[in-house]
Amino acid sequence: MTDAQADLMRPAAAAEPRPFDAVLTDLDGVIRFYDMSGLTELERAAGLPEGATAEIAFAPETDLPLMLGRIGKDEWVAAIAEGLAVRRGLDAARGRELGLALAESGFWADQTVVDLLRRARAHVPVSIVTNATPWLDEDLARLGLTSLVDDVVGSAALGLAKPDRRIYELAAERLGAAVTRCLFVDDREENVAAATALGMRGVLYRGPDDLRAALAPLFG
């Protein structure tokens, strides 16, 4: 028997199992980051400390209705202005100016993270799972990320927000993956904790190296 014939008779080597079958990733704080410099200048001019507007804008009572799709941008800006009036004594016009500056802040995508997710998508499906505004699709188009992932699960479109377990389960189902076979990446501890409670592999994101390390078994 020749060596070539012997090779044909040997059983094929079993493929290495994938470490997970899908990647679910947050958007803000992982892929997208904001430029708040314009807002900071307006706060300084108004005699406010940096971050005063965001503190009100992202408080649950102001932010959650937007994330669940119950209000739009105008209503959100109005709620921010009202909060600034009550807590900081600002007049309505100045409060609206600050609210609008926050709502329309510029943003960019971290290209290192984008490249890592593109590499991951060559192996498994990838989804963005985000607590996001009703204009999420427009933002993704501005970022040039419309074709980055296989699916986008936005809270405003569903009326569900992380850490509600249903949004994780739906995201996995839409990718055709078992919940326990998903890698979940987020920069908020409560969101990662909810994912791991369902059996997902959770990654608390603090920088690109966290994502790179989590994806290494998939690439290797």
Side-chain angles (χ1 to χ4, degrees):
M1 178 183 298
T2 67
D3 290 342
Q5 290 172 324
D7 288 340
L8 289 173
M9 294 182 65
R10 293 191 186 101
E16 289 292 327
R18 292 187 301 199
F20 39 82
D21 294 333
V23 175
L24 313 180
T25 179
D26 187 23
L27 177 64
D28 293 328
V30 177
I31 303 173
R32 175 169 66 172
F33 296 87
Y34 287 86
D35 177 7
M36 295 294 190
S37 57
L39 175 61
T40 299
E41 290 181 8
L42 290 174
E43 287 177 330
R44 188 178 298 116
L48 297 180
E50 180 179 346
T53 308
E55 181 182 359
I56 291 169
F58 298 123
E61 63 273 15
T62 310
D63 183 51
L64 191 58
L66 181 72
M67 296 298 105
L68 293 177
R70 296 172 183 168
I71 63 173
K73 184 183 292 186
D74 289 343
E75 293 90 345
W76 187 44
V77 170
I80 295 170
E82 181 179 353
L84 287 169
V86 171
R87 296 179 58 180
R88 298 290 183 172
L90 289 190
D91 62 80
R94 182 62 67 90
R96 186 179 186 283
E97 180 184 29
L98 290 168
L100 197 59
L102 185 148
E104 297 184 348
S105 295
F107 48 76
W108 74 93
D110 185 322
Q111 194 58 47
T112 299
V113 174
V114 169
D115 290 344
L116 286 168
L117 292 174
R118 284 204 174 102
R119 288 183 62 195
R121 194 180 176 205
H123 300 270
V124 296
V126 177
S127 176
I128 289 174
V129 185
T130 177
N131 289 353
T133 65
W135 55 92
L136 172 60
D137 288 345
E138 299 171 24
D139 287 356
L140 291 175
R142 286 177 58 191
L143 286 165
L145 301 182
T146 302
S147 61
L148 174 65
V149 295
D150 297 279
D151 192 26
V152 176
V153 179
S155 62
L158 296 175
L160 296 171
K162 297 177 295 185
D164 189 319
R165 65 177 291 159
R166 292 173 293 172
I167 197 169
Y168 302 88
E169 293 168 338
L170 180 61
E173 179 184 342
R174 283 167 51 157
L175 290 183
V179 169
T180 55
R181 293 289 298 161
C182 292
L183 176 75
F184 178 79
V185 184
D186 201 292
D187 66 320
R188 297 183 68 90
E189 291 186 10
E190 64 269 29
N191 294 340
V192 175
T196 57
L198 290 173
M200 291 184 178
R201 183 178 303 190
V203 177
L204 181 60
Y205 184 88
R206 290 292 178 262
D209 285 346
D210 295 323
L211 180 60
R212 185 179 291 106
L215 295 177
L218 184 65
F219 300 154

